[in-house]
Amino acid sequence: MSHDAAEGATRSSASPQVRVAWGLLSAVLLVFAVFEATKYGGWVVVAALAGAVVPDLSFLLGLSGPHQHGRLPRRAVPVYNLVHRPVTAIVVMLTCLIPESPSVAVPLFNFGLTWLLHITVDRALGFGLRTADGWQR
């Protein structure tokens, strides 16, 4: 896929049906995340909010230096793609099985849950992984 400066950024080429499926999964995950945060409160809410923001911290790698609008600098692409893969968030969710204390396990699970929610919302809106050049796939 090639892009030129006049074309600018494009969103994912995923079909509308796939994006709707991501949207439905997002809705289920949102209900689950709100339920969990309401049920446990405290640090679980903080962990859930952090999980929703963490994937986009990869954009900080692209702040310095020149780049085109909608194009992520090459050095930020591997990190961006890693943190925007559902399997990464699921692995984070599974880390809740390691600690024996619920006071550690529950926030870890909710951190991963909202991280996964972030990814599914991005996919539903058409924001997928990046090419090696930094453009949306």
Side-chain angles (χ1 to χ4, degrees):
M1 177 184 285
S2 65
H3 296 275
D4 57 8
E7 183 181 351
T10 60
R11 290 200 180 169
S12 172
S13 59
S15 70
Q17 295 85 358
V18 170
R19 289 178 58 186
V20 166
W22 281 113
L24 292 172
L25 180 57
S26 296
V28 170
L29 292 175
L30 177 62
V31 169
F32 190 29
V34 169
F35 172 78
E36 289 289 307
T38 304
K39 179 179 175 182
Y40 292 103
W43 285 109
V44 173
V45 174
V46 174
L49 292 173
V53 175
V54 162
D56 283 343
L57 292 180
S58 61
F59 284 121
L60 295 177
L61 293 172
L63 287 180
S64 63
H67 61 277
Q68 294 171 299
H69 177 69
R71 183 178 182 188
L72 195 61
R74 286 182 185 265
R75 70 180 172 281
V77 170
V79 174
Y80 176 89
N81 284 344
L82 176 67
V83 299
H84 281 85
R85 291 190 185 275
V87 70
T88 306
I90 292 168
V91 168
V92 169
M93 289 172 68
L94 291 175
T95 62
C96 77
L97 299 173
I98 297 170
E100 293 189 22
S101 170
S103 64
V104 176
V106 173
L108 273 174
F109 177 80
N110 284 280
F111 178 78
L113 179 64
T114 56
W115 186 335
L116 184 60
L117 171 61
H118 174 105
I119 294 168
T120 60
V121 168
D122 276 359
R123 300 285 171 86
L125 294 175
F127 299 108
L129 300 177
R130 301 290 181 130
T131 64
D133 292 344
W135 295 106
Q136 288 287 334
R137 288 186 184 173

